[in-house]
Amino acid sequence: MRHDVQGRAGLLEILSWARPHDSDIERAFCREFLDKVPGMTKDGYGNRMLSIGVRPRIIWSCHIDTVAARGGRQNVDVDAKGIARLQNGKAGMCLGADDGAGIWIMLNMIAARRPGLYIFHRGEERGCLGSRWIMRNTPHLLEGVDAAIAFDRAGYGDVITHQSHGRTCSDAFAASMATALNALGPDLQYAPDNTGVFTDTNEYAGAIPECSNLSVGYHGQHGPRETLDIAHCERLLAAMVKLDSDQLVIERDPLDPAHDRWGWGYPSERDDLADAVAEYPMTAARILEECGVTLEDFQIALWADEEAGYRPLMAS
């Protein structure tokens, strides 16, 4: 069976699959939605990719996995305002618009034959495992690429300039992307934003000049109350299939050590939160569990902290 991903029905079908990393349901999802797309390939880690055009200079990025504690099918409702959410969401569940929305947008861009290198990453929610694998094992894939743009940001209007602990995208690039999208969609209101966390494009910031992340309309990600504004997804897709990427300004030098680096948050706020967690550990554990965070997730975050400085847990 090949699933039709066009239209709202296609998006809702994608959201109906809860697909934890390296689960049987994730593998089945890849077979049904990705592997049947003509020209789709996979690398040694299982990242799926497809190239359109001669030597494309832009990577379009999303990730396959969700933070759901268990894989399987789930029921999704859409209200009168076009907001999708889970039916009877419980702890350990999530809608999976992070990043089902990105998958849907990219599959429809492929169907429209928009130029670019499309990468459907595995293991983003486990610490950007798929993109890290590419950086370590097939970095030649990134040669000649000017920009890597993820469809994996909450909200409605962010073009991310900073991720993890530094700048990954120039203000000029972000402004040019925002201007182009807003011109193509009268109801779109994108603008540069420097409050990004991390997603797969962050891993490419040392090799690719412009690495960003676009808001796709979800909110409350990683938990049972996650929602997705379907109309926003549709407006963004309509703009993306018309986007002239030659308008985008490429300015950042990924090899320049002078680009700014920063730590996360204000120390006083983080200290206050740490004090609250220390005083009420069971409440903190319950909140993490309700957001779908497992002990393994926490251990991976500790590993990432030691490897590369502080990286916010399980965020996009």
Side-chain angles (χ1 to χ4, degrees):
M1 177 180 181
R2 179 177 176 182
H3 294 277
D4 184 358
V5 299
Q6 295 185 354
R8 291 192 175 194
L11 178 53
L12 294 175
E13 177 65 19
I14 289 173
L15 297 178
S16 73
W17 292 62
R19 44 191 193 280
H21 174 63
D22 209 27
S23 62
D24 289 341
I25 195 73
E26 182 205 29
R27 286 184 281 273
F29 179 89
C30 289
R31 289 194 299 269
E32 293 297 328
F33 286 89
L34 303 179
D35 295 341
K36 295 179 181 180
V37 176
M40 189 73 73
T41 63
K42 66 178 178 179
D43 63 17
Y45 192 72
N47 299 304
R48 267 57 172 189
M49 55 193 70
L50 185 149
S51 182
I52 297 177
V54 179
R55 295 184 179 179
R57 304 186 70 82
I58 294 186
I59 286 175
W60 305 114
S61 166
C62 67
H63 64 86
I64 302 166
D65 61 321
T66 70
V67 300
R70 294 182 180 179
R73 301 302 295 272
Q74 56 190 17
N75 295 319
V76 179
D77 277 336
V78 181
D79 66 20
K81 296 182 179 180
I83 305 299
R85 54 174 50 86
L86 285 177
Q87 290 182 11
N88 303 316
K90 297 179 177 63
M93 299 176 67
C94 65
L95 179 64
D98 174 9
D99 193 22
I103 293 172
W104 180 78
I105 289 170
M106 284 176 45
L107 286 175
N108 279 278
M109 289 174 64
I110 289 171
R113 304 303 296 171
R114 301 305 300 160
L117 174 58
Y118 294 80
I119 305 182
F120 300 79
H121 295 92
R122 296 188 66 233
E124 191 268 358
E125 300 289 10
R126 293 293 182 265
C128 296
L129 301 180
S131 48
R132 288 187 176 194
W133 190 93
I134 288 172
M135 279 296 296
R136 292 170 180 170
N137 295 277
T138 57
H140 61 274
L141 190 69
L142 312 178
E143 293 176 0
V145 174
D146 290 330
I149 302 169
F151 298 97
D152 188 27
R153 172 72 173 176
Y156 293 118
D158 296 344
V159 182
I160 292 300
T161 59
H162 293 68
Q163 300 184 60
S164 192
H165 50 97
R167 177 181 288 279
T168 61
C169 165
S170 68
D171 291 339
F173 177 88
S176 66
M177 171 62 81
T179 298
L181 290 176
N182 296 343
L184 292 168
D187 294 323
L188 298 178
Q189 297 182 352
Y190 280 89
D193 185 280
N194 66 0
T195 64
V197 186
F198 73 93
T199 189
D200 290 296
T201 55
N202 177 73
E203 303 304 316
Y204 303 142
I208 295 175
E210 307 290 358
C211 297
S212 187
N213 192 7
L214 298 181
S215 293
V216 295
Y218 62 69
H219 295 85
Q221 65 273 26
H222 300 171
R225 296 184 180 88
E226 181 183 5
T227 62
L228 175 67
D229 187 330
I230 295 177
H232 178 82
C233 269
E234 293 170 335
R235 289 191 292 268
L236 177 56
L237 173 60
M240 291 307 306
V241 298
K242 299 176 184 176
L243 179 71
D244 179 4
S245 59
D246 289 339
Q247 299 178 41
L248 303 179
V249 177
I250 308 300
E251 185 176 278
R252 176 178 170 271
D253 181 357
L255 302 180
D256 183 359
H259 65 265
D260 51 329
R261 313 291 291 177
W262 55 27
W264 275 97
Y266 298 97
S268 60
E269 293 179 1
R270 194 185 311 157
D271 290 345
D272 289 345
L273 182 58
D275 289 343
V277 170
E279 187 172 357
Y280 302 101
M282 294 306 295
T283 299
R286 176 179 58 78
I287 292 171
L288 289 173
E289 183 180 36
E290 289 177 352
C291 290
V293 178
T294 66
L295 177 60
E296 180 186 7
D297 300 332
F298 195 80
Q299 291 169 332
I300 289 172
L302 293 176
W303 169 80
D305 198 354
E306 294 172 356
E307 285 285 307
Y310 176 69
R311 297 167 59 90
L313 178 65
M314 304 282 286
S316 297

